[in-house]
Amino acid sequence: MESQPLFTNDAIVFGILMISLGFVFYTESIKQGFWKKFYKIVPGVLMCYLIPAIFNSFGIISADTSKTYYIASRFLLPAALVLMTLSIDLKAVFNLGPKALIIFFTGTIGIVIGGPLAILLISIFSPETVGGLGFDAVWRGLSTLAGSWIGGSANQAAMLEIYQYNPEKYGGMVLVDIVVANVWMAILLIGIGKTEKIDKWLKADNSAIENLKQKVSSFSESVTKNPTLTDLMIILALAFGTVGIAHFGAENISSFLKNNFEIVADKTSALSSFSSKFFWMVTIATVVGIILSFTKAKNYEGAGASKIGSVFIYILVATIGMKMDLSGILEKPGLIAIGFVWMAIHAGLLILVAKLIRAPYFFLAVGSQANVGGAASAPVVAAAFHPSLASVGVLLAVFGYVVGTYGAILCTILMEIASKVS
């Protein structure tokens, strides 16, 4: 029986998370002494993620007993997406060119080939780690990681249904998913603080990204005003009104598809991810935000719409961090090793292709996270570069949901072959 964390009351947990965020932002604002040197090395957004992870690791709070992540991902994330796409320049987003998609699909290929290669490499040192027979076969369990790391939780669930991995051992795969994916996200966040150096090494042309940021910033400056209470209430009405629309639409679309299309209702189908309410919620919220960007509503950017959206995103970052147990790295070392080798292959391929096509680090980080983290964390990484870029992360994550199950099935076929060879 697992021990309970010190605090299980969500009001207390939320208070701890907000104090953590306040501490990070306050210390980051100090422009002299220790904190100035500290944040030159460690990005603030990483600390927003890491402090809750430390609290979770020491048993102070836990994502297992708290609903704060669910609330942040289901209510604050869609609200943030609306507010951060209000001022989007859609033409400038399309002007980012094909490199974003190239890097995204490179990340997908990295996951597909990374799984079987990791099995082959680990089998050299520890063949029992990649073994197992029947429904206990490790490759069956790793199929759920492939689903999660290309698409998301819906694709992960589909792979569990398709390959019927032993439910009693499934917890080990969930542990690998959480530990490896979150460590990789932390590495990407560290890289954001060194973007200029990385882009220089990649010889990247990031003029399109800078152009997009400049357009949004210029527009924001042109409509900036001291927000009134009315402005703030309307901004929140737009945000949470859309959250309501997104949930209403997601429930009805998901139900309609499951009730009328057997291929969607079938959990073993490659199209089952379209039954995910979360997928439709994120998609609808993004579409509404884009539609509002063609109306006068975009002028609320001047009253701080994207700043409020950023607040919601950072709360989400803290709740994601709370899911990370640093002590988990010491559990199931064999499976964790497979996960890290797998992620290293994914990262290595991304770096190679980014270097060849001179893609900016932004595309590498967001393209990777759109695969590995999905719609919950891709906009977090994108927004860490600039609030105006959050929607790019969402759009790429949507691709991940669409191709997730197909890519995971291909990866699993290769992993089964690799496990037999090894």
Side-chain angles (χ1 to χ4, degrees), residues 160-235:
L160 185 61
E161 288 286 335
I162 293 169
Y163 291 102
Q164 297 291 306
Y165 183 59
N166 187 344
E168 292 181 9
K169 295 187 175 183
Y170 179 54
M173 295 301 167
V174 174
L175 175 70
V176 177
D177 185 7
I178 293 171
V179 170
V180 177
N182 283 279
V183 168
W184 175 236
M185 182 175 173
I187 292 170
L188 291 175
L189 293 175
I190 290 172
I192 292 173
K194 308 178 187 301
T195 300
E196 286 187 17
K197 288 183 179 178
I198 296 172
D199 281 347
K200 189 175 180 181
W201 180 78
L202 291 171
K203 297 180 179 178
D205 175 16
N206 60 0
S207 57
I209 296 171
E210 292 302 320
N211 184 47
L212 175 58
K213 287 160 61 174
Q214 186 59 45
K215 280 192 173 184
V216 173
S217 298
S218 297
F219 173 75
S220 179
E221 289 172 12
S222 71
V223 293
T224 295
K225 63 174 182 175
N226 191 22
T228 63
L229 178 59
T230 300
D231 290 330
L232 295 175
M233 290 305 293
I234 291 173
I235 288 171

Side-chain angles (χ1 to χ4, degrees), residues 27-274:
T27 52
E28 194 176 19
S29 70
I30 299 172
K31 300 303 180 186
Q32 56 188 3
F34 168 77
W35 290 113
K36 182 182 178 182
K37 295 175 183 176
F38 179 81
Y39 285 108
K40 271 191 173 181
I41 301 168
V42 183
V45 66
L46 176 61
M47 290 301 297
C48 294
Y49 171 87
L50 201 56
I51 292 174
I54 293 170
F55 287 151
N56 177 52
S57 302
F58 282 97
I60 298 170
I61 57 178
S62 172
D64 294 332
T65 59
S66 173
K67 293 182 179 177
T68 48
Y69 171 74
Y70 179 85
I71 293 167
S73 62
R74 267 59 176 183
F75 297 101
L76 299 186
L77 174 60
L81 294 176
V82 175
L83 297 180
M84 292 174 131
T85 51
L86 271 183
S87 59
I88 193 172
D89 186 323
L90 208 57
K91 185 180 178 182
V93 170
F94 289 131
N95 284 343
L96 291 177
K99 288 183 181 180
L101 283 177
I102 292 171
I103 291 296
F104 167 79
F105 284 114
T106 297
T108 302
I109 293 167
I111 297 296
V112 171
I113 66 171
L117 288 176
I119 287 175
L120 290 172
L121 289 170
I122 296 298
S123 69
I124 297 171
F125 307 99
S126 178
E128 66 278 3
T129 301
V130 297
L133 299 171
F135 295 116
D136 290 338
V138 171
W139 63 265
R140 292 181 188 273
L142 295 177
S143 72
T144 64
L145 290 185
S148 176
W149 289 351
I150 298 175
S153 56
N155 307 88
Q156 184 177 30
M159 299 308 291
L160 185 61
E161 288 286 335
I162 293 169
Y163 291 102
Q164 297 291 306
Y165 183 59
N166 187 344
E168 292 181 9
K169 295 187 175 183
Y170 179 54
M173 295 301 167
V174 174
L175 175 70
V176 177
D177 185 7
I178 293 171
V179 170
V180 177
N182 283 279
V183 168
W184 175 236
M185 182 175 173
I187 292 170
L188 291 175
L189 293 175
I190 290 172
I192 292 173
K194 308 178 187 301
T195 300
E196 286 187 17
K197 288 183 179 178
I198 296 172
D199 281 347
K200 189 175 180 181
W201 180 78
L202 291 171
K203 297 180 179 178
D205 175 16
N206 60 0
S207 57
I209 296 171
E210 292 302 320
N211 184 47
L212 175 58
K213 287 160 61 174
Q214 186 59 45
K215 280 192 173 184
V216 173
S217 298
S218 297
F219 173 75
S220 179
E221 289 172 12
S222 71
V223 293
T224 295
K225 63 174 182 175
N226 191 22
T228 63
L229 178 59
T230 300
D231 290 330
L232 295 175
M233 290 305 293
I234 291 173
I235 288 171
L236 291 177
L238 290 170
F240 290 103
T242 301
V243 171
I245 292 169
H247 277 265
F248 176 79
E251 286 182 11
N252 284 280
I253 293 171
S254 176
S255 297
F256 174 80
L257 291 175
K258 283 192 285 187
N259 293 334
N260 292 278
F261 297 94
E262 191 176 329
I263 195 168
V264 175
D266 182 3
K267 290 183 179 180
T268 65
S269 164
L271 295 179
S272 63
S273 58
F274 286 101

